[in-house]
Amino acid sequence: MQISDNWIDIAYLISAVLFVLGIKGLTKPKTAVRGNMLAAAGMGVACVVTLLHRDIVTYEIIIAGVIVGGVIGAILAKKVQMTAMPQLVALLNGFGGGASFAVAAAEFFRGGHPDMVGIIATGAAVLIGAVTLTGSFVAFAKLQELIGGKPMGFPGMKLVNALLLIGSLVAIGYLVANPGTPAVFWALAIAAAILGVLLVLPIGGADMPVVIALLNSYSGIAASAAGFVMGNSALIVTGSLVGASGLILTQIMCKAMNRSLTNVLFGVMAEAGEAMDQDEVYEGKIKSTSAEEVAMVLETAQRVVIVPGFGLAMAQAQHAVRELADTIESHGGEVEYAIHPVAGRMPGHMNVLLAEAEVPYDKLKDMDTINPTFEQTDVAIVLGANDVTNPLAREDKGSPIYGMPILNVDKAKTVVVVKRSLSPGFAGLPNPLFAKDNTLMLFGDGKGAVVDITTALKEG
């Protein structure tokens, strides 16, 4: 069965409208499910229409792709834990860029680039797709701790990056003037792949949420370029939406971390200052506590703020935290959750975890809303949040995180930090919060510690 080009264009327009309405719905918790369904319906329409356009599709290849991709997706869905979701998102960004690169390469070598616009789009898809592919793999390796999370580089890296970018643009220009030159095409692909690696290597692990948002934007722009290569309006629209929304999210992340968007775009992040001695910060100042003592403090607390971080995800403690909050509220206390924009290792990480535990969304407060209330907070419970609560960001101009807005938990009357040890966060810095006079350290597994506190509070 075939359908005319006019009907295809109308169907793609309907898909685009559904995508826009879907994104609009995702902006609010109450309409998020409906928004997700609208966006899924839009993608369904685009896929069905494309499959019915026999001139574009070879069904045997499509079926094989669906089977292989479906099997891989099912395995990932079954095996990947919530704690590994940032790594998976990084990989998916990379696969998106790789797919756009593959489409552009296929069109180039089959001669599907007759005009200047098509050649420029092919070059853009190759450049951005290859950068996204290799950059995402480096981000994955850092998040998975296959390589060090600290910034990595060499003297003159910025100059090399600039030369690779200029060389890539010159290669695209050469292809416009001399179409069908395989050697130049592969030179462009190799230069872009190296550029992707070098852009992400100097970015430290603490800045990974920004990188993931940016790579997501890159994957969308690459897809949009691939849409121009194929003459597919639905791909152009969806890629543009992903690229624009990813760039907006990146800007929000940059603001939350006091970073420059320009620096992120070119792989330049915070310079490391003089290393701080952990023993100097902690020695003789750490006050260890027990679950029973924490429960005693919570018994009389009128206002409690829970501050989740990556340690919460690692311990899979979100359901235990919800039960603790319910217990505190049954004793007459008020509980809210302080959400830093870059807590965890990807944007929205903590929101997803707490939503899984059915924590009411109106109890999740963003940094600007919750910070003015910490001075009126009886107890702040920090669960695995490290860098986003580190006072060095306010006080130490030599710190690589100086200027990053943080959650001012140290201003609460009592701070309880649940942590396995005094090990630093992803930024590799000691946290003076742990040594403050109003801080109690509860060492142990996050989930086990929260369960013990809840048990003690119920028994008390």
Side-chain angles (χ1 to χ4, degrees):
M1 177 183 176
Q2 284 186 286
I3 53 179
S4 68
D5 289 341
N6 288 337
W7 283 110
I8 289 173
D9 291 339
I10 292 172
Y12 283 162
L13 178 61
I14 293 172
S15 295
V17 172
L18 289 172
F19 291 144
V20 173
L21 293 175
I23 291 177
K24 176 66 176 176
L26 290 171
T27 59
K28 297 179 180 179
K30 290 183 179 180
T31 58
V33 174
R34 184 178 65 192
N36 193 36
M37 295 299 293
L38 287 172
M43 183 57 70
V45 170
C47 289
V48 169
V49 170
T50 303
L51 288 171
L52 292 177
H53 194 186
R54 191 70 175 88
D55 294 340
I56 297 177
V57 175
T58 301
Y59 288 112
E60 293 82 0
I61 296 175
I62 290 293
I63 292 171
V66 169
I67 293 173
V68 173
V71 170
I72 294 173
I75 293 173
L76 289 175
K78 192 74 174 177
K79 298 291 185 181
V80 175
Q81 300 295 321
M82 184 62 71
T83 52
M85 198 55 62
Q87 293 94 304
L88 179 60
V89 171
L91 275 182
L92 294 177
N93 286 337
F95 291 153
S100 300
F101 169 83
V103 167
E107 288 292 305
F108 179 86
F109 285 105
R110 82 177 185 90
H113 42 77
D115 56 15
M116 184 173 68
V117 173
I119 298 171
I120 293 174
T122 298
V126 170
L127 172 58
I128 303 171
V131 166
T132 305
L133 176 65
T134 56
S136 296
F137 284 172
V138 173
F140 167 80
K142 287 199 171 198
L143 291 169
Q144 193 66 21
E145 299 182 356
L146 299 178
I147 61 176
K150 294 184 178 181
M152 303 167 66
F154 54 84
M157 178 180 276
K158 296 177 185 177
L159 177 61
V160 173
N161 287 346
L163 291 175
L164 286 170
L165 178 60
I166 293 170
S168 298
L169 296 176
V170 169
I172 294 174
Y174 185 89
L175 288 175
V176 171
N178 302 276
T181 311
V184 176
F185 176 90
W186 288 117
L188 168 62
I190 293 170
I194 296 172
L195 180 61
V197 173
L198 297 184
L199 284 175
V200 180
L201 273 179
I203 299 175
D207 296 314
M208 276 301 120
V210 180
V211 176
I212 290 175
L214 183 61
L215 290 171
N216 179 61
S217 177
Y218 284 171
S219 69
I221 297 170
S224 184
F228 279 102
V229 173
M230 298 178 65
N232 188 307
S233 57
L235 194 55
I236 294 171
V237 171
T238 54
S240 299
L241 287 172
V242 172
S245 59
L247 201 58
I248 292 170
L249 181 59
T250 303
Q251 182 62 56
I252 294 172
M253 295 293 105
C254 287
K255 182 180 178 182
M257 299 189 71
N258 195 36
R259 300 288 191 249
S260 162
L261 179 59
T262 303
N263 284 347
V264 180
L265 287 170
F266 294 100
V268 181
M269 297 304 270
E271 298 286 341
E274 184 179 346
M276 179 175 287
D277 184 8
Q278 183 167 300
D279 292 337
E280 181 181 336
V281 175
Y282 296 145
E283 190 171 6
K285 301 176 184 177
I286 300 299
K287 295 184 289 295
S288 182
T289 188
S290 66
E292 290 73 22
E293 290 178 354
V294 174
M296 289 176 62
V297 174
L298 291 174
E299 278 182 354
T300 57
Q302 294 299 307
R303 175 175 168 78
V304 178
V305 174
I306 296 174
V307 184
F310 186 67
L312 173 77
M314 287 294 292
Q316 292 285 284
Q318 59 269 30
H319 294 283
V321 167
R322 168 66 192 274
E323 185 179 356
L324 173 60
D326 290 344
T327 304
I328 294 171
E329 289 174 342
S330 70
H331 281 70
E334 175 193 4
V335 180
E336 290 183 335
Y337 299 79
I339 308 298
H340 193 282
V342 293
R345 290 187 182 174
M346 70 175 184
H349 198 180
M350 297 301 103
N351 302 67
V352 172
L353 283 174
L354 294 173
E356 182 189 342
E358 298 183 354
V359 173
Y361 197 84
D362 58 357
K363 291 184 177 294
L364 274 56
K365 305 298 181 181
D366 61 36
M367 180 173 58
D368 293 335
T369 301
I370 201 73
N371 265 348
T373 71
F374 273 115
E375 292 184 359
Q376 292 80 47
T377 298
D378 296 308
V379 183
I381 304 176
V382 181
L383 289 159
N386 203 330
D387 298 325
V388 298
T389 64
N390 196 328
L392 290 177
R394 291 195 316 252
E395 302 164 358
D396 185 0
K397 293 185 178 180
S399 169
I401 64 171
Y402 179 74
M404 182 181 85
I406 63 168
L407 294 166
N408 298 324
V409 296
D410 55 319
K411 296 183 179 181
K413 296 173 184 176
T414 301
V415 181
V416 177
V417 178
V418 180
K419 208 173 183 311
R420 286 183 178 274
S421 66
L422 292 173
S423 59
F426 227 50
L429 301 171
N431 192 340
L433 170 70
F434 304 161
K436 286 190 173 288
D437 293 337
N438 61 332
T439 299
L440 301 173
M441 297 294 301
L442 179 57
F443 294 106
D445 170 71
K447 183 177 181 180
V450 171
V451 169
D452 289 343
I453 295 171
T454 304
T455 302
L457 189 57
K458 288 179 179 178
E459 294 175 351

